[in-house]
């Protein structure tokens, strides 16, 4: 977590996920790297955007020619209960 300007915070780090109700042949554990940026609109309200770059191949026993990895972009609005 790095504050680089008034109200702006950049962050990066690992993300561990557990996929529920996966079909046969799909792994349930996911490992990814996240990077994001948030901005404090007020002391209690912030907006953020993050990108999740999945590194785990979710296909069990698949050949090296095929892979399935989770990647997504998220945008959010949050209310902070305490400072």
């Amino acid at each position: 977590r790095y504050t680089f300007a008034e109200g702006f915070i950049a962050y990066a780090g690992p993300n561990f996920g557990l996929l529920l109700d996966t079909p046969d042949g799909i792994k349930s554990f996911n490992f990814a790297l996240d990077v994001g940026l948030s901005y404090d609109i007020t002391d209690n309200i912030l907006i953020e955007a993050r990108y999740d770059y999945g590194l785990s191949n979710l296909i069990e026993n698949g050949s090296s020619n095929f892979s399935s990895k989770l990647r997504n972009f998220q945008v959010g609005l949050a209310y902070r209960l305490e400072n």
Side-chain angles (χ1 to χ4, degrees), residues 3 9-10 13 26 35 38 42 58 61 83:
T3 302
I9 297 172
I26 302 294
V35 293
S38 70
T42 68
L58 300 177
N61 305 320
N83 264 338

Side-chain angles (χ1 to χ4, degrees), residues 31-43:
F31 175 71
L33 295 177
D34 283 3
V35 293
L37 178 68
S38 70
Y39 176 70
D40 292 340
I41 298 170
T42 68
D43 286 342

Side-chain angles (χ1 to χ4, degrees), residues 33-36 49-53 71-74:
L33 295 177
D34 283 3
V35 293
R50 76 174 68 176
Y51 183 70
D52 179 60
Y53 184 82
R71 298 197 175 127
N72 65 75
F73 182 72
Q74 302 168 351

Side-chain angles (χ1 to χ4, degrees), residues 1-75:
R1 192 174 149 151
Y2 175 72
T3 302
F4 62 92
E6 183 68 32
F8 284 94
I9 297 172
Y11 50 89
N15 182 327
F16 303 95
L18 184 63
L19 304 172
L20 303 176
D21 196 27
T22 57
D24 289 340
I26 302 294
K27 296 177 187 175
S28 60
F29 179 77
N30 181 52
F31 175 71
L33 295 177
D34 283 3
V35 293
L37 178 68
S38 70
Y39 176 70
D40 292 340
I41 298 170
T42 68
D43 286 342
N44 295 94
I45 298 174
L46 64 99
I47 57 173
E48 71 174 346
R50 76 174 68 176
Y51 183 70
D52 179 60
Y53 184 82
L55 299 173
S56 298
N57 182 4
L58 300 177
I59 298 176
E60 288 183 346
N61 305 320
S63 72
S64 61
N65 295 333
F66 299 101
S67 68
S68 178
K69 299 179 182 183
L70 296 179
R71 298 197 175 127
N72 65 75
F73 182 72
Q74 302 168 351
V75 177

